[in-house]
Amino acid sequence: MAAAGGLRRGLLLAVPWRWRCSPRRGAAGCLPAGQVRAAFLRFFEERHGHRRLPSAPVRPRGDPRLLFVNAGMNQFKPIFLGTVHPRSELAQHRRVVNSQKCVRAGGKHNDLEDVGRDTYHHTFFEMLGNWSFGDYFKEEACSMAWELLTEVYEIPKDRLYVTYFAGDSSLGLSADEECRDVWLCLGVPASHVLPFPLKDNFWEMGDTGPCGPCTEIHYDHVGGGRNAAALVNQGSPDVVEIWNLVFMQYSREVEGNLLPLPQHHVDTGMGLERLVTVLQNKRSNYDTDLFTPILDAIHKGCGGPRYQGLVGDADVGRVNMAYRVVADHVRALCVCITDGIYPGFSGAELVLRRILRRAVRFCSEVLHAPPGLLASLVPTVVEVLGDAYPELTKNADQIMDVINENEAAFLSSLERGRRIIERTVQQMEPSTNFPAEVAWSLYGNLGFPLDLIDLMLEEKGISLDSAAFNELALEGAKRKAGGPQAGQLDDTNTHLDVHSLAQLQSNNVPATDDSPKYAYTVGQHGQYEFSPCQATVLMLYRDQSLQKEVGAGQRCGVILDRTNFYAEQGGQASDQGYMIHLGQQAQRLACMTNHTATHLLNFALRHVLGDNTEQRGSHVTAERLRFDFDTKGPVTVEQLQQVEQVVQDVIKRNEVVHTAEVPLMLARRVQGLRAVDEGYPDPVRIVSLGVPVESVLTCDSEAAMQTSVELCCGTHLLQTGAMEDLAIISERQLVKGISRVIAVTGRQAKQAREAGQCLAMEVDSVSLRMKERSTSIPEMQNLSKEVGQLTKQIVLQMVASTPMPQWQRKELQTILKVLQRTANTAVKKLEMQQAEEKAQSVLAKHCNQPVIVDTVPADSLSILMKVVNQLCDKSPGTSVLLLSPQASGEVLCACQVSKNCLPVFSAADWAVAVCTQMEGKAGGSPVVAKGSGNAKGMQGALTAALEFAQSKLLK
């Protein structure tokens, strides 16, 4: 303790006091939020030697269990778990500091429904944090925190309370007296140092993994010399936690026991919003300058009453709640959209869709704001947060576009939903519940909020069949849970745990050398030859422990000194094969082909669509490749063709694929370098198509702008010619702003083109026959059916084992739409001509009669109806019923009643009376109706038709 204290005093003397913020509590000139954030970062960076890192995007990297980054420590989990790449930048960190963008809405940490009800819950917030990875521990962490709060931010010491872990006998953990003693040595009164149990002061990453005791710093808003110890951790709004310091020193095992970590870490987190509330002497986060500009912009946009900070029953009409919801949600929307999460239909995208729709509802239903208010707030959010997160400024226009388009879609869905509810209620029997299946369809398909369904039904005095609805919801959840990933558990024998990794390191077991995965050449006849790799078994791994041997038939992991197998990373699927035997070379070669094709496709898309086209994700398997990218709209047929052409040109040139390992800092200087947001080792591997790596590294070289140059650890072809061909077989927008293409190469690409050509020939054949303009209705109807079948066939091609190029699919679908319209128009025209001829013949036979009942030859009910319409148009006061016997023995019936005869004479009743005579059915409106029956009763039906009409007209 004494040595550490002496070092700390030396630091205080050596470094000038330029971090003191002087917030002048209670004065009008409170410290702005931007300066609070900057002071935190400067304090740890300049005074305590931390490396300042930028915030990670809120889309989690490499952690499928997380919807959003919800804590500052997320990006450092590989360090805590011991899985960090030893050559990566991340592995070099010892002490770091940053302000992390966080979203808690969905999953374990879900504050969405609480936002707006109080003055401190948020979906998006900023987490200020400092970390030590095997460097300093409890004494230094607590000392730095106390110094920052009391000497830099000048928070009165008597308002601060600290908590520590009181121990847990069931886990065999004693109280964290070391932490307690640190606080006492720093001068914190014993009455302000408080023990708390596991649930309050022991932090865990998850059900398993690194964990440890924590110490929290709480602030008393009231002060005045009182002792508020009894209010700590009691949910009091007067005494709130502002900073949590976690001491990672254990690992929770699968069995539930705790083991000491081989290396101790410090993970701290302090919410900026809550800290600013303290420093600006406010009681609500929404009263700080992080929110007040947005609240002012909402007031200006909706023109209603100003925000007053009211909650609960005092907030009449929920106006203040609406202000808070909209202000919070628009911040979350801006950050998420900027980081590549767009409103969608699953996962994080679905959560963001709910956030947007919740904000839109409060805008329209509570604030009575015009459409577009939400997007109009984006410039204000950018003004508040843009200095700290410049990516917001860059993407402001795109954020506004996404919000406006999604708002318009939601408002349209609401209107459709309201109409469906109205129609369903009208058709319901009295005193019955609203059908659950309709409510579920509104909720699942239209995204209609469940509480809005309840509200609308309540207004009509109707209730929802909740039991049936919950049953449908349960079935839906089971279907989702039963998807492709259901039941697929991680093989614990292939993922080394943190203790085993530490044991390997302490025993000086070297990391497996996987460089032989790049050991392959092209033979004399163009075939790829993979060098065999001899390896020594260093250790076995089973049941989360390292073992020298395992029993026969037992599954285990095998740790080798070297391997030529490729482990899944960088979007490329892992190799499959066998030790001793040669690996599955065909599978590896197919992955190599598709990985090189992915790089080439990335370049081609940027070349055709523009340099702003950024990669959002990719996945490479032996069968196909998938590539996600930014786009302002669907890719056109012409653009898809151009992209394929760019790729094919490079394939034909048989460009050499150059690779080299270079220092990461040097690689990042390359102009036009394509790199995705992920951690890279140092040195890093560069893959360049057609241009030697030395050339792209040359200062001011623009060579990388003209070809594909990427940072990549994957395996690739040695020359592009082996790819043979590439066909894009699918292109669709995942969500607004992000498109996904799927492509195949080589033989599969050739088969796709052949399938497309076969369909194109069939479409050409139909098109030629259509141009001949047949005068036969059956012939034109057959052509129309043929067009429909081809359209269906093209749709089915999307999921067929042999698909077709996407550009060709789109092109043929466009042609078929035109042909379908042409065929339908031709059929209608021929039917009208035929109907007019028949109408003239009937009219000549029944001139100037008030009722016409007759038989007419007609190929379809459509033509018969048109004959009736023509007769009534030519003789306005006449009511007409026509029968048409068919070769099948069926008789068609069509009728129309003159409007002068309504309501006494109804066409529907007339058709029913006639068709009943023929043992058939009919239906329609009072003006027009149609039906059918049996030819045996046709003569009686004609008599009945005339008698029915006369009986009605005589009235």
Side-chain angles (χ1 to χ4, degrees), residues 428-441:
M428 281 171 55
E429 296 286 335
S431 305
T432 56
N433 287 333
F434 190 81
E437 59 273 12
V438 176
W440 178 249
S441 176

Side-chain angles (χ1 to χ4, degrees), residues 407-427:
E407 178 182 21
F410 179 46
L411 293 174
S412 173
S413 293
L414 283 181
E415 189 53 41
R416 285 173 59 199
R418 286 190 178 97
R419 288 200 300 269
I420 290 170
I421 289 174
E422 291 286 350
R423 191 164 61 245
T424 305
V425 169
Q426 288 173 6
Q427 296 169 354

Side-chain angles (χ1 to χ4, degrees), residues 574-646:
S574 59
D575 283 340
Q576 298 176 8
Y578 302 90
M579 291 186 294
I580 303 174
H581 299 291
L582 292 176
Q584 294 182 344
Q585 296 183 0
Q587 197 261 356
R588 161 69 85 83
L589 180 56
C591 279
M592 288 163 49
T593 301
N594 287 343
H595 203 152
T596 304
T598 304
H599 283 219
L600 194 43
L601 181 62
N602 188 1
F603 167 72
L605 285 165
R606 287 168 68 98
H607 182 79
V608 173
L609 303 179
D611 290 338
N612 291 329
T613 307
E614 295 290 343
Q615 178 177 345
R616 286 293 186 180
S618 66
H619 189 239
V620 176
T621 66
E623 291 75 31
R624 56 184 55 190
L625 63 98
R626 187 193 76 211
F627 191 81
D628 302 341
F629 58 96
D630 288 335
T631 177
K632 291 185 176 178
V635 185
T636 65
V637 168
E638 292 75 18
Q639 288 170 332
L640 286 169
Q641 288 175 306
Q642 290 168 19
V643 168
E644 285 190 2
Q645 190 59 55
V646 170

Side-chain angles (χ1 to χ4, degrees), residues 786-796 813 816 820:
E786 205 171 328
V787 170
Q789 289 167 351
L790 281 171
T791 301
K792 187 177 180 181
Q793 197 173 338
I794 286 174
V795 172
L796 292 174
Q813 284 175 327
L816 287 169
Q820 192 72 71

Side-chain angles (χ1 to χ4, degrees), residues 215-265:
T215 181
E216 297 175 343
I217 304 174
H218 296 250
Y219 174 78
D220 177 15
H221 277 286
V222 177
R226 72 170 184 166
N227 188 322
L231 297 177
V232 172
N233 276 338
Q234 299 304 309
S236 169
D238 293 335
V239 180
V240 296
E241 174 205 336
I242 57 172
W243 205 344
N244 188 12
L245 286 65
V246 180
F247 307 121
M248 299 271 199
Q249 59 188 93
Y250 300 106
S251 175
R252 172 82 70 178
E253 302 302 295
V254 175
E255 295 79 13
N257 59 308
L258 296 175
L259 293 178
L261 280 174
Q263 200 173 42
H264 290 176
H265 309 294

Side-chain angles (χ1 to χ4, degrees), residues 746-762:
R747 182 174 55 83
Q748 285 180 290
K750 182 182 178 183
Q751 290 173 343
R753 296 197 189 284
E754 288 172 352
Q757 202 54 42
C758 287
L759 272 173
M761 290 171 65
E762 290 187 54

Side-chain angles (χ1 to χ4, degrees), residues 862-875:
S862 172
I863 295 174
L864 188 64
M865 198 74 242
K866 285 181 174 66
V867 176
V868 170
N869 295 152
Q870 289 270 0
L871 283 168
C872 291
D873 288 344
K874 293 177 185 297
S875 181

